[in-house]
Amino acid sequence: MRENSFSLNDIVFPLFVDEKAEQHIPIPHMPGIYRIPLRLLQNEIKSLANLGLKAVLLFGVSNHKDELGSDSWSSDGLVARMVSVAKDSAPEMLIIADCCLCEYTTHGHCGIFQKGEVDNDGTLLNLARQAVVAANSGADIIAPSSMMDGQVSYLRRALDQAGHTATPIMSYSSKFASSLYGPFRSAAGCGLSGDRLTYQMDPLNGREALRESLADEAEGADILMVKPGLPYLDVIAKLRERTDLPIAAYQVSGEYAMIKFASMAGAIDEHRVVRETLGAFKRAGADLIISYFAKDIAQYGLNAPLS
Ligand code: PBG
Ligand code: ZN
């Protein structure tokens, strides 16, 4: 009589690829998660595929930052190199390329940053350049995460013009200006001064979050995403009633840290809590779950009972 189930088909593992690291570098606030050196990415992807994982979401840790984030669309830049290495390592693995500029800009904002503001429309061209480079390098899905207005239709047009008519867009469509991204920012080396409140969503606005996601659907998104996950199950559930597109839930770095540290302190049983959170995403209506627990889950299995 169990209503929901999940399998590795539903789960995406985010990876941080560091172009200058020699060894795996532990991320202090995400025990068990490492920056993967680009030179070891091939082995990493192969071993994830052997574990049964089906999809990874790639983030670059750049050593070539500038004001605009131009390395991200250079044909021999980090996005191009990490995507093509990943795709060649295990062709059956779905390679999702995060598409944003904050990991490649010196100021850490998700777009062109001038006079204390992000230039929404100017940023679109640079995102499109990056998306086309990622698709040219073999990315199976492009995942724009900058929350610039109009990014989905702009990227759709650019991808189509470059011949990538069959490359889907997974939009970070309802992305909140959350305090749960802290560990990610140190992991990706993209701390910033100020905040992202002019482009990310106010955590107190549920209706606006639906509007943002539905606007991305109208612009041609193929998959919608709600991020973070657990504190925003209401948004997932309401969105489920308003769209027939697949919905992804992103269990973000701070959610991972909360569960890991609580279990390390002996306060909770990690595996059971992880399964319970995955179940919550499914109950709310998510089809895909992006989680830093993906590798652990592949190792300890999903089939043990929830209680
Ligand atoms: C940047 C980006 C962020 C995350 C994914 N893409 C951070 C941010 O918006 O500041 C957060 C992921 C996480 O915390 O796990 N575009
Ligand atoms: Zn960003």
Side-chain angles (χ1 to χ4, degrees):
M1 297 302 163
R2 178 163 284 158
E3 296 173 19
N4 291 287
S5 63
F6 27 73
S7 78
L8 293 181
N9 291 337
D10 309 323
I11 296 178
V12 179
F13 189 36
L15 279 187
F16 301 101
V17 182
D18 188 324
E19 63 180 337
K20 77 162 198 283
E22 287 294 319
Q23 312 289 342
H24 283 53
I25 300 179
I27 297 165
H29 294 117
M30 301 177 76
I33 302 293
Y34 299 83
R35 293 183 180 190
I36 315 298
L38 183 56
R39 63 180 198 91
L40 300 177
L41 182 60
Q42 185 179 20
N43 291 346
E44 186 75 20
I45 298 282
K46 284 188 172 151
S47 76
L48 296 174
N50 286 337
L51 281 172
L53 289 172
K54 306 288 168 71
V56 293
L57 172 61
L58 296 182
F59 294 99
V61 182
S62 173
N63 197 32
H64 291 94
K65 300 187 188 214
D66 63 19
E67 274 288 300
L68 295 175
S70 63
D71 184 68
S72 70
W73 65 81
S74 154
S75 57
D76 60 355
L78 180 54
V79 171
R81 284 177 291 143
M82 72 183 178
V83 169
S84 68
V85 169
K87 193 66 214 169
D88 291 346
S89 311
E92 72 280 15
M93 177 77 82
L94 193 85
I95 305 299
I96 309 176
D98 180 83
C99 183
C100 200
L101 296 161
C102 52
E103 295 111 65
Y104 303 91
T105 54
T106 38
H107 44 72
H109 279 281
C110 300
I112 297 173
F113 191 64
Q114 272 167 344
K115 301 183 196 122
E117 276 184 28
V118 169
D119 170 6
N120 186 96
D121 292 9
T123 298
L124 297 177
L125 175 60
N126 294 344
L127 290 172
R129 290 169 161 151
Q130 183 187 140
V132 169
V133 161
N136 288 345
S137 308
D140 298 297
I141 297 183
I142 303 296
S145 67
S146 76
M147 286 294 279
M148 294 301 123
D149 290 338
Q151 64 181 4
V152 173
S153 56
Y154 199 95
L155 293 195
R156 183 71 273 155
R157 208 172 319 122
L159 287 166
D160 288 353
Q161 278 167 7
H164 298 294
T165 50
T167 304
I169 293 179
M170 174 166 79
S171 174
Y172 288 62
S173 52
S174 295
K175 177 172 175 182
F176 290 87
S178 172
S179 300
L180 291 163
Y181 305 149
F184 173 95
R185 290 187 189 160
S186 56
C190 63
L192 81 164
S193 55
D195 58 52
R196 303 204 202 284
L197 278 164
T198 60
Y199 44 107
Q200 295 183 352
M201 303 275 325
D202 181 337
L204 296 184
N205 285 6
R207 292 194 307 268
E208 190 188 8
L210 291 181
R211 228 163 59 220
E212 288 277 348
S213 269
L214 296 174
D216 282 11
E217 173 167 13
E219 288 183 30
D222 300 281
I223 305 170
L224 302 176
M225 190 200 297
V226 175
K227 175 184 171 196
L230 223 49
Y232 299 93
L233 290 179
D234 59 319
V235 176
I236 298 174
K238 286 182 183 147
L239 189 55
R240 181 70 293 158
E241 292 175 355
R242 305 274 294 270
T243 181
D244 290 322
L245 289 180
I247 298 175
Y250 196 146
Q251 183 172 49
V252 301
S253 57
E255 296 178 76
Y256 176 87
M258 290 196 289
I259 295 172
K260 270 285 173 195
F261 287 118
S263 79
M264 285 162 71
I268 59 174
D269 177 324
E270 180 180 325
H271 294 183
R272 284 167 187 263
V273 170
V274 170
R275 283 198 297 265
E276 198 171 325
T277 61
L278 300 189
F281 294 131
K282 283 283 173 153
R283 227 176 46 239
D287 303 282
L288 297 173
I289 299 160
I290 302 164
S291 173
Y292 299 98
F293 289 109
K295 192 174 176 179
D296 289 353
I297 291 165
Q299 277 162 338
Y300 62 67
L302 285 160
N303 296 321
L306 276 173
S307 56

